[in-house]
Each structure stands twice: as C-alpha cells, then as structure tokens.
Amino acid sequence: MKKQIVSLLALVCAMACPPVWAGPGHDHGESAPAATSNSPKRNPDGSVFLPKTSQRQLAVRTIVAEAKAVPQTVELTGRVLMDANAGGRVQPTQAGRVEAVGPGLPALGQTVRKGQVLAVVRSSAGAIERANQQAQSAELAAQLEQARRRAARLAQLEGTVPQKDIEGAQADVVSLQQRLAAVRGSVSATEQLVAPITGVISAANVMAGQVVDAREVLFEIVDPSRLVVEALAFDVALLSGISSASASPGAGVSVPLRFVGAGRSQREGAIPLTFRTAGTVAVPLAVNQPVKVVVQTRTPIQGVPVPAGSVMKNPSNQDVVWVHTGAEIFQPRPVRVVPLDGAMVSVLEGLKAGDRVVTQGASLVNQVR
C-alpha cells in the first residue's frame, strides 16, 4: 500500500512541474555537417588531396618535366632609359609665356610627328629691357628717316654725283630697315617648340599661360619600340660570355633584349651594361622603370625548365613546386631554381625527368588547407 502511495505522489509531482528550457545563447546550435571525404584537403604529410571535379574547376594544368642543358643565367638590376637616337626633349631657348597652338597642348601618350609645332613661347622681357629696346627702336627709326632723305637727294643729283654714293645711301636705307625690324620683333618675339622626333609624349611639364625659363624641359618624346635598358654588372667575366638577355618588368613577363655594349668606367663599383629592346615590344615599358635583367651566358648547366608561375613558397619560405603524383594527389617538392628569363626558370635540384609539374593553378593548390 505504501509503495502505491509513493508512486502516486511521484506521478503527481512530475505532472505539476513545468518543462525547463535553455535560455537564449545557451543552445548548442545545429549539429556540424558530417565531413565529406571528397573535398579538397591538406594531408598530414603535406600533400594535397584534390578531387577531379575541383581540378577542373581550378583549371589545374601540368607538364612533364624534361631535363636538358640550359644556359647559365645571371640576374641583374636594370632601369629603362631613353634612347638618344629615338627620344628627345623640347626646351625653349628663351624665357617667356607658353601659348597653345591648334587644338591645344599635347597630352601624355599622344603621338606626335617630327617637326610638329607643340606650343609657342612668347618672349617676356623685363621693364628695363623693354624700355631699352623701344629706345633703340626709336633711334633706328630716326636714322632710317635721315638715310631715306639723303638717298632721295642723291637720287635727284644723279649724273652730277658719283654713282657709288647713291648706291651707298640706298644700302644704308636697307640696312637700317632690317635692323629696325629685328629690334621691333625682339620686343614681342615668339619661339615655336617643335617635336624633334616622331614618337609618343612621355612627359609634359607645361600648361597654357605658364611662364618658363630658358632650357627648361617642357616635353619629353620617346619611341616606345626603341628603348634602352641599362644594368650594372659586378662580375667582369660576364662581359665576354653574354649570349642573350631579357627584361622582366613583372612576374611572368619577359621582354627580349639585344646586348649593345659595356662601359669602360665603373659606376658605384659596377660596370654599366647597355641593352636595346629587340623589335616591337608587346609589353609597354616606361622610361625610368626598374626592371630585372636576366642575362644568359654561354656556360651550359643541367636543369628542368618550368614556367616561373609554377614556383611557390611554403610556410618555411622555401621555393616549392607541386608534383601530380596520383590521380587526385599533389605533392610539394622543395627545389632550387635559377631564372632563364622573365617567364621561365630552371629547376636545378628537387625534380627528376618524368615528374608532372603543375604549371597552371599552382597558387590555388598551394592555398588548400
């Protein structure tokens, strides 16, 4: 009987107590989705599992490594300069105020022709100099008037005075006319600024109405297809072994160069080397732009050429390339590389012939965690 009473009391208490719920912020949220085995992931050994669908989405491409003899290269620091025979500066020979001609002053990047008038500089003389010119002009005008009267009197006495006196008086009139015209023209003389070559405006340092001094550089004109690259070499032995060269203004970009010669005086402890762009430059270069100059020598070395975009950095800041070792497995390989040009490098250590090296999408594979 007592057991029945206890059970009845427990049932009544359970029905009387309200349900207890967790307060806001105390719930555990939705359960985490189950990890799928078919998603990109980094394996404990450092390799990357990348399924075929992800490889197609990331556009991963590979090439078969092939060992071959490649020329030994040296990387130098260079700078793009203006070719003295394919560039020019526009400078006035007198101080004055700039005036636009035609449609206006040329803008940056505008193509101009040799002999084209770019602007006009009107002479701006000082008050004292202008007063002196006006005084000299008045004096010459008075002398011209006297010479004309003398020439007219002698012309009336033709036959009684020597002919040489008449001709001398007429010559004095002509001389004074030319001197007066020159002095009057110098008061408000104008100078036309013409383009010395056919090319592109690379620098414009002038505005309409600007007052400029003599020898001030107002425009710079360059021929984009004919530029000079100057690099500094600290190894004298390099001068006798240059076979080809290229400039790299950016990662994966290469501009072929033609070696012109080397200076015979050191600059900052190095010998300046001069190169010219070979033919039409597909990648635009700018004057004073710093570039990397990759010089190929005649000394061969054994290596595996791969695109420069294949070389990545691992967490230890080592150069690595990704090798496709399985259908969906990519393995990082530490390598030692030397540049061949701006777009290609040669792997000296870390690869062997037959390895499938990732050439496109390597940065995306390197980001998988």
Side-chain angles (χ1 to χ4, degrees):
M1 186 65 181
K2 293 181 178 179
K3 292 182 179 180
Q4 293 177 353
I5 294 175
V6 172
S7 299
L8 182 60
L9 291 174
L11 179 61
V12 171
C13 291
M15 295 178 62
C17 293
V20 179
W21 303 97
H26 293 279
D27 56 340
H28 297 284
E30 299 179 356
S31 59
T36 60
S37 60
N38 199 32
S39 60
K41 63 181 179 179
R42 182 70 66 100
N43 296 324
D45 61 351
S47 63
V48 169
F49 170 77
L50 199 64
K52 288 294 185 180
T53 54
S54 299
Q55 294 181 31
R56 287 190 289 268
Q57 291 175 355
L58 300 180
V60 177
R61 298 291 183 269
T62 62
I63 61 170
V64 178
E66 181 182 356
K68 60 176 65 175
V70 295
Q72 185 178 6
T73 59
V74 178
E75 187 173 317
L76 307 175
T77 301
R79 184 174 296 274
V80 182
L81 302 177
M82 183 187 303
D83 191 346
N85 297 317
R89 293 186 174 94
V90 180
Q91 301 171 268
T93 58
Q94 62 181 6
R97 189 179 300 276
V98 177
E99 297 180 359
V101 294
L105 297 174
L108 286 175
Q110 179 178 336
T111 302
V112 295
R113 303 181 309 275
K114 181 178 181 179
Q116 177 180 342
V117 179
L118 306 180
V120 172
V121 175
R122 186 173 299 278
S123 175
S124 57
I128 297 178
E129 184 178 358
R130 186 180 296 272
N132 292 336
Q133 290 174 337
Q134 290 176 351
Q136 186 177 1
S137 176
E139 183 180 354
L140 290 174
Q143 294 178 4
L144 176 60
E145 183 63 23
Q146 293 178 359
R148 285 174 176 172
R149 292 177 181 177
R150 181 171 180 274
R153 288 195 302 269
L154 292 178
Q156 294 176 356
L157 299 176
E158 186 176 3
T160 60
V161 296
Q163 185 65 26
K164 64 177 182 179
D165 294 342
I166 299 176
E167 293 177 354
Q170 294 175 349
D172 291 341
V173 172
V174 175
S175 175
L176 289 171
Q177 287 177 342
Q178 294 176 351
R179 291 172 59 188
L180 181 60
V183 173
R184 286 178 175 175
S186 65
V187 176
S188 59
T190 59
E191 179 184 2
Q192 291 184 340
L193 304 179
V194 299
I197 64 163
T198 299
V200 175
I201 300 291
S202 64
N205 307 314
V206 65
M207 298 182 66
Q210 179 179 345
V211 177
V212 296
D213 294 327
R215 297 189 299 275
E216 185 175 346
V217 179
L218 303 184
F219 299 99
E220 289 187 0
I221 305 173
V222 299
D223 186 350
S225 63
R226 298 175 60 186
L227 294 173
V228 170
V229 177
E230 186 181 86
L232 298 178
F234 293 89
D235 187 4
V236 181
L238 180 65
L239 305 181
S240 59
I242 298 178
S243 61
S244 62
S246 61
S248 177
V253 182
S254 178
V255 177
L257 300 177
R258 179 172 54 88
F259 179 61
V260 176
R264 291 298 179 264
S265 60
Q266 288 190 346
R267 184 186 306 166
E268 299 178 359
I271 297 177
L273 307 180
T274 303
F275 303 87
R276 278 199 177 95
T277 54
T280 304
V281 180
V283 181
L285 298 176
V287 178
N288 296 327
Q289 177 183 4
V291 294
K292 292 182 180 179
V293 179
V294 180
V295 177
Q296 297 184 354
T297 65
R298 297 184 178 88
T299 304
I301 57 175
Q302 198 71 16
V304 178
V306 296
S310 300
V311 182
M312 297 288 109
K313 292 288 186 180
N314 64 5
S316 301
N317 203 30
Q318 292 177 316
D319 291 331
V320 297
V321 296
W322 288 93
V323 179
H324 197 186
T325 57
E328 297 178 336
I329 300 297
F330 295 85
Q331 189 76 30
R333 296 277 183 84
V335 294
R336 184 168 67 90
V337 300
V338 294
L340 291 179
D341 52 34
M344 298 290 294
V345 298
S346 177
V347 179
L348 303 182
E349 295 178 1
L351 283 181
K352 61 180 183 296
D355 289 339
R356 299 194 66 86
V357 181
V358 178
T359 58
Q360 182 177 333
S363 61
L364 301 176
V365 176
N366 198 51
Q367 294 175 12
V368 176
R369 293 291 182 267

